[in-house]
Amino acid sequence: MKKYMVKTLVAGLAVCAVSVAQASPIVGLYNTGAGITINGTTDTNYALTNSSGAAIYGNYGEAAVGSGWPISPWLADNSTSHWLTPTSNRAQSYDSSSAGTYKWTLQFNLTGYNATTASFEGKFSADNNAVAYLNGNNIGSAAGFSSWYNFSAGSSLFNAGVNNLEFVVTNLKGSGNPTGLRVEMTNSNVSAVPLPGAVWFFMSGMLGLLAVKRKSKSI
């Protein structure tokens, strides 16, 4: 029985170590328009501000679901992601006399995870162009609205707590001039923070059982 208990202790510790080491997708990374099926529905995952950080157009964008100008020439809509536009009128014209800046920000929290193991990859498109930032670090650029452009971030760019993924869109001046952003995450990984307290609690319990067994034999 003693050998069995020791083997159980060793096996339990191994399970704890494996569970700590396993990576999982980062919670809070959403595609634009994630889960939205009705055109013009507000996406509250991505905050919308101007270049100074002040909220504009209600602080959130609207998902452009389905077809209709300017989708084509914009990338075609699908169920994985949707274009976000400042208002529910996707064809609305902006910035007739000067270029406009639209900052779309997605926040996610890595508290409870090991930020040094985090990484993600994605693709985006914008009218007219955009730069992607993670916590102020440039991680990719998009030069148009009819193609996808890649972005990615490695572990050195992540914070242990709240992280900001930003897409700064520039809409060039013109007439008949809509603007929008499209983002799809393609991969992400992060490992949980080790839980030494839980491991030692398990060890203490097993050692306690061993002690009780030994004492019962001596009585």
Side-chain angles (χ1 to χ4, degrees):
M1 177 60 74
K2 182 177 179 180
K3 289 183 178 180
Y4 171 77
M5 297 293 285
V6 171
K7 288 181 179 179
T8 302
L9 173 61
V10 172
L13 289 174
V15 169
C16 288
V18 170
S19 63
V20 166
Q22 286 181 339
S24 59
I26 296 174
V27 175
L29 289 180
Y30 299 103
N31 297 338
T32 50
I36 293 175
T37 59
I38 300 175
N39 181 57
T41 300
T42 302
D43 183 343
T44 57
N45 294 318
Y46 285 81
L48 176 59
T49 65
N50 61 19
S51 58
S52 300
I56 54 176
Y57 298 103
N59 201 205
Y60 298 103
E62 316 298 325
V65 179
S67 59
W69 195 84
I71 295 178
S72 185
W74 287 4
L75 288 169
D77 186 41
N78 61 40
S79 59
T80 303
S81 68
H82 306 291
W83 283 93
L84 292 186
T85 56
T87 72
S88 58
N89 178 11
R90 69 180 74 178
Q92 182 170 333
S93 183
Y94 305 87
D95 313 308
S96 59
S97 59
S98 62
T101 301
Y102 304 81
K103 182 187 293 185
W104 302 85
T105 303
L106 175 70
Q107 282 194 341
F108 60 98
N109 197 328
L110 291 184
T111 299
Y113 293 90
N114 185 353
T116 64
T117 68
S119 66
F120 64 59
E121 298 173 340
K123 57 185 182 179
F124 69 133
S125 187
D127 188 346
N128 285 104
N129 54 66
V131 179
Y133 298 91
L134 176 61
N135 301 320
N137 299 284
N138 187 326
I139 58 172
S141 59
F145 45 75
S146 58
S147 299
W148 287 112
Y149 299 85
N150 295 326
F151 64 89
S152 62
S155 58
S156 63
L157 303 182
F158 291 83
N159 295 330
V162 174
N163 291 259
N164 289 299
L165 177 58
E166 299 175 338
F167 299 90
V168 181
V169 175
T170 300
N171 191 39
L172 303 179
K173 70 176 182 178
S175 59
N177 194 27
T179 186
L181 173 72
R182 181 90 171 269
V183 178
E184 286 188 10
M185 306 302 301
T186 56
N187 186 45
S188 70
N189 287 284
V190 68
S191 297
V193 172
L195 300 175
V199 174
W200 284 111
F201 180 80
F202 176 82
M203 289 179 63
S204 299
M206 294 303 295
L207 291 172
L209 289 174
L210 286 172
V212 170
K213 181 65 178 178
R214 184 179 301 166
K215 183 176 181 181
S216 64
K217 283 186 177 180
S218 63
I219 296 177

